Each structure stands twice: as C-alpha cells, then as structure tokens.
Amino acid sequence: MTDDPRRAAASARGRPAAPARERTRPPDVLVRRYALVPLDRLSLDVTARRSGLHPDLVRRMAALGVVDAARDAGGRLWFSPDAPAALARAQRLRAGLHLNYAAVGVVMDLLERIGELEAELRRSDAGCRSDESWI
C-alpha cells in the first residue's frame, strides 16, 4: 500500500494515479526541455518556431537561397543553428527596405561579403597602429 492518500483513493477507484510531479504542475504551465549537447542541425519545425515564421515560408526562403538548408535521405530539410537568426535578419530587411525575397538574398550576400572585408581590413591594420606607418 502507499502512504499518499490521493494515490490510494485513485487506485481504489480503479484509475492509475499520475506521478507526483504531473499532479502538482498547473495545466497552463509551459515546460521547456533543453538539449544537453549543442545541436549541429535544426529541423524545419524547430527553425520555423525559433525564427517565428511559418514552415512554408522557411521552406520558400531555403528554396530561394536566403538561408542554407540540406536534405537528408528522407527528403527532410535540415538547417544550421544560426539559420533562425539569418531568417530574422531577412525578415527585417524585407520589412525595412520593402524588398522581395530574391532581393533579400542578394542583400544578405552583400552584407556578408562586406563583413568579411571589414574583418580582413581590421586584421591587416592590427599590426600598424602608428600614425606614421606611411613613412
């Protein structure tokens, strides 16, 4: 027999009693489960949920090349962990500049290239901080 009177009453009625932690949690509480290891790829649904977009729109953006995606043997789309941030950036560009999705992809490529060039410039200027470097 059990020491918990609620479990005893539930078993007397012929129903299995719920585990203790399920009984104490209110039904409207959101429970989040976190991965213990970093994910190396995200599914279409997870990417859509993290970016706040509909999965069909995420699928369309992947087809247009706005975000990179890979297909597995079953034909499912998989995205890199930074894809939700790239999709959010694409949405900001689309809303802020009133661009279509094809143009957003071009602008994102140009912004990425500008970032690479600026990083290269910073690395090349790191050795010569003096104002007299031209002498």
Side-chain angles (χ1 to χ4, degrees):
M1 205 69 187
T2 180
D3 294 334
D4 188 0
R6 288 179 282 185
R7 281 183 176 253
S11 63
R13 289 189 294 263
R15 291 186 298 171
R21 73 176 169 202
E22 286 182 22
R23 273 186 287 112
T24 59
R25 184 181 335 131
D28 59 344
V29 172
L30 176 67
V31 176
R32 293 188 187 262
R33 291 188 173 87
Y34 296 97
L36 297 178
V37 293
L39 300 174
D40 60 340
R41 64 182 189 169
L42 302 175
S43 69
L44 173 66
D45 293 331
V46 171
T47 304
R49 188 171 47 249
R50 287 187 181 179
S51 63
L53 301 175
H54 193 274
D56 289 339
L57 182 57
V58 174
R59 196 175 291 119
R60 178 198 281 174
M61 291 177 125
L64 289 171
V66 173
V67 65
D68 293 329
R71 289 196 183 271
D72 64 1
R76 292 181 299 268
L77 285 174
W78 294 96
F79 297 89
S80 67
D82 60 345
L87 288 167
R89 185 178 197 183
Q91 284 299 100
R92 286 192 309 271
L93 286 170
R94 178 169 160 71
L97 299 176
H98 304 289
L99 300 173
N100 62 21
Y101 288 116
V104 165
V106 172
V107 170
M108 288 182 67
D109 289 343
L110 289 172
L111 289 172
E112 181 179 339
R113 181 67 180 141
I114 289 170
E116 291 170 0
L117 290 172
E118 286 177 342
E120 186 178 323
L121 184 63
R122 280 191 296 273
R123 281 192 303 273
S124 68
D125 286 346
C128 55
R129 288 282 184 197
S130 173
D131 290 339
E132 301 169 346
S133 62
W134 56 275
I135 298 177

